[in-house]
Amino acid sequence: MRKSRVVLIKGKGVLSDNQINIKILSVMLRKGLSLLGQVNNFHEALIQFFTPRDKVGIKINTIAGKKLSTKPQVSLALANLLNQVGIKERNIIIWDRTNKELKGAGYRLNYNGSGIRIFGTDTRGINYEYNLTIHRNIGSRFSKIQSKLINKSISLAILKDHGIAGITGVMKNYFGAIHNPNKYHDTNCDPYIAELSEVGLIKNKNKLSILDGLIVQYHRGPSYHSQWAEKCECFILSTDPVASDFIGWQLIEKIRKKKGLPTLEEEKRKPYYLFTAEKMGLGKANLNEIQLIEYEV
Amino acid sequence: MSKISRRDFLKTIGGAGLIASTVPSTFLTDLYAFSTSANLSQVEAWFYKKLPDKEIKCELCPRYCKLGDKERGYCGVRENKNGIYYTLVYGKVCAAHIDPIEKKPFFHFLPGTPAFSIATAGCNVNCKFCQNWQISQVRPEQVENVDLPPRDVVRYCLKYRCPTIAYTYTEPVIFYEYVYDTSVEASKKRIRNVVVTGAHINPEPMEKLTKVVDAIKIDFKAFSEDFYQKYVRGELEPVLEAARIVKKSGKWMEIVYLVIPTLNDSPEEIRKMCKWVIKDIGPDVPVHFSRFHPMYLIKNLPPTPVSTLERARNIALEEGINYVYIGNVPGHMAESTYCPNCKNIVIKRFAYQILQKNLKRGKCKFCGQPIPGVWS
């Protein structure tokens, strides 16, 4: 069976005094994508997943405020790469649940203006679908951004410890695409995260998963706590969302061990949903099934 | 976030049968005159514990949500902001109607009177058969809210001559502080307060609530933990404990059991529930067996056959429950109240209408048997 490829790309100096070094960031994304696609450059990699006619959503993660959200420089750098392969700026949407959270994370909203569009589901005229999408244990209204405005999506999530789910990454990021994520936090969010990932609107549209590990909240997440936030200066890229979250989990466990913290399993919050997702055929949650490429720029 | 327009909202609620024919036309005009609320409330919640590192533990309901900064509970309407837990829906009403009290249903509480009925968004369970999911299974930002502080609720009650306020439609447990304060305010004007709840609540808040409200209707979603876990995402035992607390408080209580074909309609389960009612809360607590209609996440089952409801009623009567009703079947004989002594009709009903009242000072007009309830 073919292994899932995951790229862990590190960029020393990409974060300095909490400021992003755009040059290093750009090299990280370009190199990361080309390693993922096993091609010469990011362009060749991106055209494996996208065409110039696509409308692409970049689902970011802005719930935890400015200090622990997808930084505008990161999502805009990715959007620019998409633009460089021919996708029109207007057809790229950087989005999350609410405009308030986007603004809180430092984004300048752009719904109707020229350029890359940035707005939340709560934008007037957008909102959630009126009808429920029902799938296994999921019964939710989807953001119309995910259901109507885009045909392909990228989950660009922050890697964080999560008090219930164990970790939150590219899969759980899509909780922000439905109206009732609060209803799916029982039993370590298992099987809900996996089942949501199996819904066609996500499974069929998500072409790329990128975990932002510039700063990793390795304990007491998903809220920001500076004392448990580690500068890791990395991204984890894959086309397999389960595998990228699995590698993200390993990274969190590694930091926790270094800091003398118990494992997530010992804290009864091992991310079981990853194994459920694997059983459902959504991806790989097993190191033997993952081809991990580590690279430092 | 997705907001339901007023038109959609009325359509939705109308579809669920929540607009009573008794609503004065001026009431809706008045309702729309309330200021629409763009912001959510920020009133500190009750029943929570502060934990280190700005975390909190909610102690209102048996979920005991443990939340970090900026996180919300399962109910979606309580949020930890910087280590302080807030209710976001205090005075933020997403549904307000004047209903017959029979619609709640209360059959032994001021029959034939209107109840000023209000709700906020949210719920602390997720019943797969919820009839009002459009307002219960959403966050408050996703519906249109109007500002209706307790004093305004009371003012409108007086204006529209409603002797009762009903906290209903969604789950009053999650707007607890608002229910409590409004009840206190209403009591000053001799307005009664009734709560329509799934009673998934902890004992301490339940005890406190019984001190300020006049009646509580509790929904039993089934009588098995397995069902509660699978179809409600809650637990049965806390609900039973809440019912015992209401009984102990002496406040009026009625029970509703929504009978869902194949899921909670077995004679054994119904009998078990009836035996519990007799033993723990007594034979005079009215029990309503309501008809299920396919809704929300359970659309693959048919409406409950009337014969199933009649079978449930017969079991309850056999077990010795004195007042057993069938709900959501307009015109059924079991909508009426029968004297357990002489078997005559004490209150004759058709749907939510009272056709005949043979009750004198709380007693059967024919034989003088006291009929328990709140009649005046």
Short mmCIF file of all heavy atoms in Angstrom, two decimals, chain B residues 294-332:
data_model
loop_
_atom_site.label_atom_id
_atom_site.label_comp_id
_atom_site.label_asym_id
_atom_site.label_seq_id
_atom_site.Cartn_x
_atom_site.Cartn_y
_atom_site.Cartn_z
N PRO B 294 -41.54 12.98 12.53
CA PRO B 294 -40.15 12.97 12.04
C PRO B 294 -39.58 14.38 11.93
O PRO B 294 -40.23 15.27 11.37
CB PRO B 294 -40.26 12.33 10.65
CG PRO B 294 -41.66 11.89 10.48
CD PRO B 294 -42.48 12.37 11.61
N MET B 295 -38.40 14.56 12.47
CA MET B 295 -37.85 15.91 12.57
C MET B 295 -36.34 15.85 12.78
O MET B 295 -35.84 14.86 13.29
CB MET B 295 -38.52 16.60 13.77
CG MET B 295 -38.31 18.07 13.91
SD MET B 295 -39.11 19.06 12.65
CE MET B 295 -40.77 19.11 13.25
N TYR B 296 -35.67 16.90 12.39
CA TYR B 296 -34.24 17.11 12.67
C TYR B 296 -33.41 15.93 12.16
O TYR B 296 -33.32 15.75 10.96
CB TYR B 296 -34.04 17.37 14.16
CG TYR B 296 -32.67 17.81 14.60
CD1 TYR B 296 -31.86 18.61 13.80
CD2 TYR B 296 -32.17 17.43 15.85
CE1 TYR B 296 -30.60 19.01 14.23
CE2 TYR B 296 -30.91 17.83 16.28
CZ TYR B 296 -30.12 18.61 15.47
OH TYR B 296 -28.87 19.01 15.89
N LEU B 297 -32.87 15.12 13.04
CA LEU B 297 -31.99 14.05 12.57
C LEU B 297 -32.69 12.69 12.49
O LEU B 297 -32.08 11.71 12.07
CB LEU B 297 -30.76 13.95 13.47
CG LEU B 297 -29.93 15.23 13.60
CD1 LEU B 297 -28.77 15.05 14.57
CD2 LEU B 297 -29.39 15.68 12.24
N ILE B 298 -33.93 12.65 12.94
CA ILE B 298 -34.67 11.38 12.81
C ILE B 298 -35.84 11.62 11.87
O ILE B 298 -36.93 12.04 12.29
CB ILE B 298 -35.15 10.84 14.17
CG1 ILE B 298 -33.93 10.57 15.08
CG2 ILE B 298 -35.96 9.56 13.99
CD1 ILE B 298 -34.25 9.89 16.38
N LYS B 299 -35.58 11.34 10.63
CA LYS B 299 -36.63 11.56 9.62
C LYS B 299 -37.05 10.23 8.98
O LYS B 299 -37.89 10.22 8.11
CB LYS B 299 -36.12 12.51 8.55
CG LYS B 299 -35.99 13.94 9.04
CD LYS B 299 -35.56 14.84 7.92
CE LYS B 299 -35.57 16.29 8.36
NZ LYS B 299 -34.92 17.15 7.39
N ASN B 300 -36.39 9.18 9.45
CA ASN B 300 -36.66 7.89 8.82
C ASN B 300 -37.71 7.07 9.56
O ASN B 300 -37.95 5.92 9.22
CB ASN B 300 -35.36 7.07 8.73
CG ASN B 300 -34.75 6.84 10.10
OD1 ASN B 300 -34.98 7.62 11.03
ND2 ASN B 300 -33.98 5.79 10.25
N LEU B 301 -38.30 7.66 10.59
CA LEU B 301 -39.34 6.93 11.33
C LEU B 301 -40.68 7.60 11.10
O LEU B 301 -40.76 8.82 10.95
CB LEU B 301 -39.01 6.91 12.83
CG LEU B 301 -37.77 6.12 13.24
CD1 LEU B 301 -37.50 6.28 14.73
CD2 LEU B 301 -37.95 4.63 12.90
N PRO B 302 -41.75 6.82 11.12
CA PRO B 302 -43.07 7.41 10.91
C PRO B 302 -43.58 8.09 12.18
O PRO B 302 -43.04 7.85 13.26
CB PRO B 302 -43.94 6.20 10.58
CG PRO B 302 -43.28 5.08 11.33
CD PRO B 302 -41.81 5.37 11.33
N PRO B 303 -44.60 8.92 12.07
CA PRO B 303 -45.22 9.44 13.28
C PRO B 303 -45.72 8.27 14.15
O PRO B 303 -46.04 7.20 13.63
CB PRO B 303 -46.40 10.26 12.76
CG PRO B 303 -46.07 10.56 11.34
CD PRO B 303 -45.25 9.41 10.85
N THR B 304 -45.75 8.50 15.44
CA THR B 304 -46.17 7.42 16.35
C THR B 304 -47.61 7.00 16.06
O THR B 304 -48.51 7.86 16.02
CB THR B 304 -46.09 7.91 17.81
OG1 THR B 304 -44.90 8.68 17.96
CG2 THR B 304 -46.11 6.76 18.79
N PRO B 305 -47.85 5.73 15.88
CA PRO B 305 -49.25 5.29 15.71
C PRO B 305 -50.05 5.63 16.97
O PRO B 305 -49.54 5.50 18.09
CB PRO B 305 -49.13 3.78 15.54
CG PRO B 305 -47.71 3.52 15.15
CD PRO B 305 -46.91 4.62 15.78
N VAL B 306 -51.27 6.04 16.77
CA VAL B 306 -52.11 6.40 17.93
C VAL B 306 -52.28 5.19 18.84
O VAL B 306 -52.31 5.32 20.07
CB VAL B 306 -53.48 6.95 17.44
CG1 VAL B 306 -54.42 7.21 18.61
CG2 VAL B 306 -53.26 8.23 16.64
N SER B 307 -52.34 4.00 18.24
CA SER B 307 -52.51 2.78 19.06
C SER B 307 -51.34 2.59 20.04
O SER B 307 -51.52 2.10 21.15
CB SER B 307 -52.65 1.56 18.16
OG SER B 307 -51.50 1.44 17.35
N THR B 308 -50.14 3.00 19.63
CA THR B 308 -48.97 2.89 20.52
C THR B 308 -49.14 3.83 21.72
O THR B 308 -48.82 3.48 22.86
CB THR B 308 -47.67 3.25 19.76
OG1 THR B 308 -47.60 2.44 18.60
CG2 THR B 308 -46.45 3.06 20.61
N LEU B 309 -49.65 5.02 21.43
CA LEU B 309 -49.87 6.00 22.51
C LEU B 309 -50.95 5.49 23.47
O LEU B 309 -50.85 5.63 24.69
CB LEU B 309 -50.27 7.35 21.92
CG LEU B 309 -49.23 8.02 21.02
CD1 LEU B 309 -49.84 9.14 20.20
CD2 LEU B 309 -48.08 8.57 21.86
N GLU B 310 -51.97 4.89 22.89
CA GLU B 310 -53.06 4.36 23.72
C GLU B 310 -52.56 3.20 24.59
O GLU B 310 -52.94 3.08 25.75
CB GLU B 310 -54.23 3.91 22.83
CG GLU B 310 -54.97 5.12 22.24
CD GLU B 310 -55.97 4.76 21.15
OE1 GLU B 310 -55.87 3.64 20.58
OE2 GLU B 310 -56.83 5.61 20.85
N ARG B 311 -51.67 2.40 24.01
CA ARG B 311 -51.11 1.29 24.79
C ARG B 311 -50.30 1.83 25.97
O ARG B 311 -50.42 1.35 27.09
CB ARG B 311 -50.22 0.45 23.88
CG ARG B 311 -49.68 -0.82 24.54
CD ARG B 311 -48.80 -1.60 23.58
NE ARG B 311 -47.59 -0.85 23.25
CZ ARG B 311 -46.76 -1.17 22.25
NH1 ARG B 311 -47.04 -2.19 21.47
NH2 ARG B 311 -45.68 -0.45 22.01
N ALA B 312 -49.53 2.88 25.70
CA ALA B 312 -48.72 3.49 26.77
C ALA B 312 -49.65 4.05 27.86
O ALA B 312 -49.39 3.88 29.06
CB ALA B 312 -47.85 4.60 26.20
N ARG B 313 -50.71 4.69 27.41
CA ARG B 313 -51.65 5.27 28.39
C ARG B 313 -52.27 4.17 29.25
O ARG B 313 -52.41 4.32 30.47
CB ARG B 313 -52.74 6.06 27.64
CG ARG B 313 -53.74 6.70 28.58
CD ARG B 313 -54.69 7.64 27.84
NE ARG B 313 -55.56 8.34 28.76
CZ ARG B 313 -56.80 7.94 29.07
NH1 ARG B 313 -57.30 6.86 28.50
NH2 ARG B 313 -57.52 8.63 29.95
N ASN B 314 -52.65 3.08 28.61
CA ASN B 314 -53.27 1.99 29.37
C ASN B 314 -52.31 1.42 30.40
O ASN B 314 -52.71 1.11 31.52
CB ASN B 314 -53.73 0.87 28.41
CG ASN B 314 -54.96 1.32 27.62
OD1 ASN B 314 -55.69 2.23 28.04
ND2 ASN B 314 -55.18 0.71 26.47
N ILE B 315 -51.05 1.31 30.02
CA ILE B 315 -50.05 0.81 30.98
C ILE B 315 -49.97 1.75 32.18
O ILE B 315 -49.96 1.32 33.33
CB ILE B 315 -48.67 0.67 30.30
CG1 ILE B 315 -48.70 -0.46 29.27
CG2 ILE B 315 -47.56 0.44 31.33
CD1 ILE B 315 -47.46 -0.54 28.36
N ALA B 316 -49.94 3.04 31.90
CA ALA B 316 -49.83 4.03 32.98
C ALA B 316 -51.05 3.96 33.90
O ALA B 316 -50.92 4.03 35.14
CB ALA B 316 -49.69 5.43 32.39
N LEU B 317 -52.21 3.80 33.31
CA LEU B 317 -53.43 3.69 34.13
C LEU B 317 -53.41 2.41 34.96
O LEU B 317 -53.74 2.41 36.14
CB LEU B 317 -54.67 3.74 33.23
CG LEU B 317 -54.95 5.11 32.56
CD1 LEU B 317 -56.07 4.99 31.51
CD2 LEU B 317 -55.32 6.19 33.58
N GLU B 318 -52.98 1.33 34.32
CA GLU B 318 -52.87 0.05 35.05
C GLU B 318 -51.94 0.17 36.25
O GLU B 318 -52.18 -0.40 37.29
CB GLU B 318 -52.24 -1.02 34.13
CG GLU B 318 -53.20 -1.74 33.21
CD GLU B 318 -52.42 -2.52 32.14
OE1 GLU B 318 -51.29 -3.01 32.41
OE2 GLU B 318 -52.93 -2.57 31.02
N GLU B 319 -50.87 0.92 36.05
CA GLU B 319 -49.89 1.07 37.13
C GLU B 319 -50.38 2.00 38.23
O GLU B 319 -49.75 2.10 39.28
CB GLU B 319 -48.56 1.56 36.57
CG GLU B 319 -47.82 0.53 35.74
CD GLU B 319 -47.45 -0.73 36.53
OE1 GLU B 319 -47.20 -0.63 37.74
OE2 GLU B 319 -47.44 -1.82 35.92
N GLY B 320 -51.45 2.73 37.95
CA GLY B 320 -52.03 3.55 39.00
C GLY B 320 -51.80 5.05 38.88
O GLY B 320 -52.07 5.81 39.81
N ILE B 321 -51.30 5.50 37.73
CA ILE B 321 -51.15 6.95 37.54
C ILE B 321 -52.54 7.52 37.25
O ILE B 321 -53.30 6.98 36.44
CB ILE B 321 -50.16 7.26 36.39
CG1 ILE B 321 -48.76 6.73 36.78
CG2 ILE B 321 -50.08 8.76 36.12
CD1 ILE B 321 -47.71 6.85 35.70
N ASN B 322 -52.90 8.58 37.93
CA ASN B 322 -54.29 9.06 37.89
C ASN B 322 -54.62 9.92 36.68
O ASN B 322 -55.77 9.94 36.25
CB ASN B 322 -54.59 9.85 39.17
CG ASN B 322 -54.72 8.93 40.37
OD1 ASN B 322 -55.24 7.81 40.24
ND2 ASN B 322 -54.23 9.37 41.52
N TYR B 323 -53.63 10.66 36.18
CA TYR B 323 -53.93 11.60 35.09
C TYR B 323 -52.97 11.33 33.93
O TYR B 323 -51.79 11.70 34.00
CB TYR B 323 -53.83 13.04 35.58
CG TYR B 323 -54.69 13.26 36.81
CD1 TYR B 323 -54.15 13.17 38.09
CD2 TYR B 323 -56.07 13.48 36.68
CE1 TYR B 323 -54.94 13.30 39.21
CE2 TYR B 323 -56.87 13.61 37.80
CZ TYR B 323 -56.30 13.52 39.06
OH TYR B 323 -57.10 13.64 40.17
N VAL B 324 -53.49 10.65 32.94
CA VAL B 324 -52.64 10.25 31.82
C VAL B 324 -53.23 10.79 30.52
O VAL B 324 -54.41 10.56 30.23
CB VAL B 324 -52.52 8.71 31.73
CG1 VAL B 324 -51.43 8.34 30.72
CG2 VAL B 324 -52.20 8.10 33.08
N TYR B 325 -52.42 11.50 29.78
CA TYR B 325 -52.90 12.19 28.57
C TYR B 325 -52.17 11.71 27.33
O TYR B 325 -51.06 11.18 27.40
CB TYR B 325 -52.71 13.70 28.72
CG TYR B 325 -53.44 14.26 29.92
CD1 TYR B 325 -52.77 14.50 31.13
CD2 TYR B 325 -54.82 14.53 29.85
CE1 TYR B 325 -53.45 15.00 32.22
CE2 TYR B 325 -55.50 15.04 30.96
CZ TYR B 325 -54.81 15.26 32.14
OH TYR B 325 -55.48 15.75 33.23
N ILE B 326 -52.84 11.93 26.22
CA ILE B 326 -52.19 11.70 24.92
C ILE B 326 -52.05 13.05 24.24
O ILE B 326 -53.04 13.81 24.15
CB ILE B 326 -53.00 10.70 24.07
CG1 ILE B 326 -52.82 9.28 24.66
CG2 ILE B 326 -52.57 10.74 22.61
CD1 ILE B 326 -53.58 8.20 23.95
N GLY B 327 -50.85 13.35 23.80
CA GLY B 327 -50.58 14.66 23.20
C GLY B 327 -50.30 14.59 21.72
O GLY B 327 -49.91 13.54 21.20
N ASN B 328 -50.51 15.70 21.05
CA ASN B 328 -50.28 15.85 19.59
C ASN B 328 -51.24 15.00 18.76
O ASN B 328 -50.93 14.65 17.63
CB ASN B 328 -48.84 15.49 19.20
CG ASN B 328 -47.82 16.44 19.78
OD1 ASN B 328 -48.17 17.54 20.21
ND2 ASN B 328 -46.56 16.04 19.79
N VAL B 329 -52.38 14.64 19.34
CA VAL B 329 -53.42 13.94 18.57
C VAL B 329 -54.72 14.71 18.83
O VAL B 329 -55.53 14.32 19.68
CB VAL B 329 -53.57 12.46 19.00
CG1 VAL B 329 -54.57 11.74 18.08
CG2 VAL B 329 -52.23 11.74 19.00
N PRO B 330 -54.91 15.82 18.12
CA PRO B 330 -56.08 16.66 18.41
C PRO B 330 -57.39 15.89 18.28
O PRO B 330 -57.57 15.14 17.32
CB PRO B 330 -55.99 17.77 17.33
CG PRO B 330 -54.58 17.73 16.86
CD PRO B 330 -54.10 16.34 17.02
N GLY B 331 -58.24 16.06 19.28
CA GLY B 331 -59.54 15.41 19.25
C GLY B 331 -59.58 14.07 19.96
O GLY B 331 -60.65 13.48 20.14
N HIS B 332 -58.44 13.59 20.40
CA HIS B 332 -58.42 12.29 21.10
C HIS B 332 -59.07 12.45 22.47
O HIS B 332 -58.90 13.47 23.14
CB HIS B 332 -56.99 11.80 21.25
CG HIS B 332 -56.91 10.34 21.60
ND1 HIS B 332 -57.12 9.87 22.88
CD2 HIS B 332 -56.67 9.24 20.84
CE1 HIS B 332 -57.00 8.55 22.89
NE2 HIS B 332 -56.73 8.15 21.65
#
